Amino acid sequence: MRRPLPARPARRRARHAVVTAAGLLLLTALPVAAQRTAAPAARPDPRVEAAKRALVADVDARAKLTQEINDQIFSFGELGMQEVETSRYLVALLRREGFTVTEGYAGMPTAWVATWGSGKPVIALGSDIDGIPQASQMPGVACRLPMIPGAPGHGEGHNSGQAVVITAALAVKKLMEEQHLPGTIKLWPGVAEEQLGAKAFFTAAGLFRDVDVSFFTHVYDDFSTPWGAPNEYSGLVSLLYSFEGTTAHAAGAPWRGRSALDAVELMNTGWNFRREHLRTESRSHYVIRDGGDQPNVVPATASVWYFLRELDAPRIRTMWAMADSVAQGAAMMTGTRLANVRVMGAAWPPHFNRPVAEALARNIERVGMPRWSEDDQRFARAIQQEMGQPQRGLTTTPKGLEAPPADDQRKGGGSDDIGDVSWAVPTVQLFYPSNVPGTPGHNWADAIAMATPIAHKGATAGAKALALTVYDVLTSPALVADAWRYYREVQTKDVRYESFVRPQDRPSTELNAAILARYRDQMRPFYYDASRFPTYLDQLGVKYPTLRGADGSCGAKAVP
């Protein structure tokens, strides 16, 4: 999806070129940045190298904890704003490790902020924790086998992110204590990322006000970090349009009613005609949240939930204004009232910090990809076959640093509210290799590998790269200064951040409550018990890897 850095071959040629007298004249005419690129690499500081080796060893020593965090969160399978068990577990763990934790942050019951240390630099580490509807899936089984049909699950892999973040933070914390390093570590969870429901509110509440550098981790099937505006990201505003009408007997006196559902349907029809004339990069989707109570009563209330996506904030605001006008027209046509337009969530198009991403990319190269076993590769190929994708197995070479495309080559795609954080403070995103290439995203298939050795190894690799880069920030004031220089002189030189979240908007804490109320009692017997079982696969009795049988059968029935 994201493009590899194109500059590596040029650097290799520059290192091995023979510099003639004419070449020296040319070199003196080059910009300072180009001269730096051509210069030989500085000799590593032995003390820094020793510290980095200790960090890597420490993360390796915590691999069991990494696996337990990963598997525990996977077993909870909670949706956005309802990550109750997940947050309770993580808060307790962090308090045991000496962090001070504030719960209920920014008005969200499952949001928290954990801090340790004192002084500068302040380093924020975050990762998402929510799951996907109807993504319940037996891990380690390479075909469709829900543990609880219809229940949610980790069909994106957000269960692995806090394992990366916490493992890295604990390793860095230990080294800071040993070396008496000043600095503050601040951990936070991406609540309701699938609804883009929290990070804009975190930003508005001041979570990143004193932060020097922010790191965000996300599961993927490669090992990389982008800088600038990545190709595959769009910004987004999430809007709930609510209409009010008048009830009446749908058969006895329908002329006395005014249907709010008619307004919703006409809005959707109008928008579908309108978006034929939008840019190719514009994307939008909707679901009807409220369509009335029963057919024989003209609906007095109805609502529709829209995601509107574009590549930059002005175009998103233009789409928003268009959608408002379509909604007003639908209300006029039906004699109803547009009662409310609620911002449910938001995501600015992200811009990631180049100097810190370059440091992170060097550490990704240093760590390298996990050593996949033949079982891992067989399992990945089986999942790819199940999805009708090329059977190429797991990625074996890290992508490292990924440069942004030219503006006219950006096409957009999904969204993440880390974009709002990236405009509040210099931010980078670490993609770590804990899932299988070829899965569709937001799907049960994306949960298959997420409590297996693939996820565990990928999370450990990600924790190493993250810990090493946090150490770079702690010990290199020049890196922090470069990060802020890029932020001020490049990223925000011509762009001013203004959140899509308005002063009257509040977090949508009611989201997904009905789904979890329906399934939580069925899900609870499947919670992972790390005190009794080495891994979640052991608890479920899954032999890894379990592939589809020759007779077409798909594993065994899930048993708590």
Side-chain angles (χ1 to χ4, degrees), residues 380-451:
R381 289 192 293 268
I383 295 172
Q384 290 159 351
Q385 181 179 22
E386 193 76 15
M387 293 293 101
Q389 298 295 306
Q391 297 173 47
R392 56 191 177 97
L394 296 166
T395 305
T396 57
T397 304
K399 284 188 178 179
L401 187 66
E402 297 188 72
D407 286 344
D408 61 356
Q409 297 299 310
R410 290 183 63 212
K411 300 303 179 186
S415 306
D416 194 310
D417 46 358
I418 191 60
D420 288 75
V421 179
S422 76
W423 289 95
V425 63
T427 298
V428 293
Q429 182 163 24
L430 167 65
F431 290 102
Y432 55 92
S434 281
N435 215 326
V436 174
T439 53
H442 293 184
N443 183 271
W444 58 268
D446 291 80
I448 295 174
M450 289 313 305

Side-chain angles (χ1 to χ4, degrees), residues 250-296:
W255 52 87
R256 299 182 65 177
R258 297 292 181 268
S259 173
L261 178 59
D262 287 352
V264 164
E265 292 188 293
L266 282 170
M267 179 181 179
N268 294 341
T269 300
W271 184 255
N272 286 331
F273 277 98
R274 185 68 182 86
R275 65 177 168 183
E276 178 186 353
H277 307 287
L278 300 179
R279 293 187 345 136
T280 304
E281 293 81 2
S282 300
R283 301 182 184 186
S284 53
H285 350 275
Y286 58 81
V287 294
I288 296 175
R289 290 291 303 279
D290 170 18
D293 297 306
Q294 58 192 53
N296 65 332

Side-chain angles (χ1 to χ4, degrees), residues 4 71 84 112 187 214 224 229 254 258 443 447-448 458 476 493 545 554:
D71 289 5
V84 177
W112 44 266
L187 304 179
S214 167
S224 62
R258 297 292 181 268
N443 183 271
I448 295 174
S476 177
K493 179 182 178 182
C554 183

